[in-house]
Amino acid sequence: MTIGVATLVSAPTAALAAPADQGPEAVPPVAPPVAPPVLAPVLTPTDQPDALAAEALARVAETQRRLAAVEAELTRFDTTLRAGDLKTARLAIGGVEKLCADPLPALPTEAMPQGWAGVVAASADRLQREHLRRRDELCASLPQLAGRLAEAQLRQRMERVAAALPALKAGSRDAESVGQLKTLLIKATGAKLTAKNPSYGPSTTAAVREFQAKRSLPVTGRVDKVVWRELLVANGGPLTPAVFSGKAAPSERAAAAVRAALSQLGLPYEWGAVKPGESFDCSGLTSWAYRQAGVTLPRHSTDQAVGSPVAREDLRPGDLIVWQGHVAMYVDKGRMIEAGDPVRLTALRTSNVGMPFLGFFRPTA
C-alpha cells in the first residue's frame, strides 16, 4: 500500500486533536512580569577613569571655592582698613585665619588613568596645585596684615591723644609740652636737643622741620595735631615717663596703676569693656590699671569708693575721683585720667553731668 505525504503529515495531527466528546483544554492565566532586582552600579575597568576624572574636578572646585573665600576676606580687610573701620578689618583677619586653618582636599596619590580621562585628571591636578600655592602665599601674608592693622590702630589712637595736646611754635613757653616734644624728636630723629630745656628755639624748629620732611608733612617748623600724632606713632605710643614721673605717688603700687592707665591713652570708650589696647569704660580702666599693680578693685564705678577718703588738697597720684556712675584716676598737677571718649587726660573736677559726687579715695596705703 502506498502512503502519501499527506497521510504522514495528517496522521500525527489527527492523533493530537482532542476527542470529539471533550471540550478544548483550559488555558492557565499568565502571571504579570516580575521586575528584575535593582543592583548597585559596579564600576567596570572602563568606568574607572571617568570616576577618577570627576573626583579630580570636584577637588579643584572645592579648592577654588576656598581660595575665593580667602581673597574675599583680604579684599574686605583692605577696603575697611582704608575706610578706617578697624573693627571690621580685625574681623576680616580673623576670617582669613580661620580659612587658612581649614584643611584642603588632598592631592591624589594614585596613578592617572589613560586616555581623555587621564588628561582631565592631570589638568585638574595641576590646577589644584596652583590654587594651593596661591592660597599658601595669601595665608603667609597674615603677619603683615596684622602689622598693618596694629599700625592703623596706633595711628587712630594717637590721633585722639594728639587732639588734647597744644599747638607749639618757636617761642612757645609751655615747659611740659616743649619737654615732651623734644623727647619725642630725640627718639624719632636723634636730634641734639636737651629735653629739660623748656625753650622752643632755632634748634627745636630745625628738628621739627627735619621730622616733617621725613614724614612728607608740610615743612613749617610748627607743631600741630598731625605732627604730634606722627611723633607719637614714631615713638610707638604715648610718652608715659614724660607725662608722669610717679615721684609723688603714695606707693609704688599707686604709681604702677597710674602708668598702666596712661598706657591706654587714646583708646575709645565702650560700655562694659575691659579690653587693653582696644577699649574701656570708666571703671574698667581704673580696675584694670590697679590690677596691673596687684590691687583688686570692685568692677563698678560707685563701688570703687574704697580705701581712705582724702581731701582735694591732699590728692596724690593713683587716688580715685568717684561719682555715682563714673570714676577717674588722679595723675598729678591738677590732672586726672578717665575713660571718656577716648581715654584722656583732663583737668580735675568734681562735677559730671549731674551725677552725685562721692569724693576722693585712696585704694592703697
Side-chain angles (χ1 to χ4, degrees), residues 160-215:
R160 298 189 185 104
V161 175
L165 295 172
L168 299 174
K169 61 181 180 179
S172 293
R173 298 191 178 279
D174 182 339
E176 184 175 350
S177 297
V178 172
Q180 290 185 50
L181 171 64
K182 289 185 175 183
T183 302
L184 289 168
L185 286 169
I186 291 168
K187 290 191 172 189
T189 67
K192 305 297 182 182
L193 299 172
T194 303
K196 293 182 179 180
N197 182 351
S199 172
Y200 193 131
S203 58
T204 304
T205 301
V208 170
R209 292 174 65 87
E210 179 186 350
F211 178 78
Q212 289 171 326
K214 285 184 176 179
R215 289 277 170 156

Side-chain angles (χ1 to χ4, degrees), residues 74-86 89 148-149 152:
L74 291 175
T75 299
R76 181 166 74 127
F77 172 80
D78 283 329
T79 302
T80 54
L81 189 70
R82 284 196 298 269
D85 183 1
L86 304 189
R148 289 173 59 195
L149 177 61

Side-chain angles (χ1 to χ4, degrees), residues 52 72 85 104 109 158 205 211 269 300 334 338 352:
L52 291 174
D85 183 1
L104 286 173
T109 56
M158 292 307 100
T205 301
F211 178 78
Y269 177 89
H300 298 291
E338 61 182 329
N352 194 68

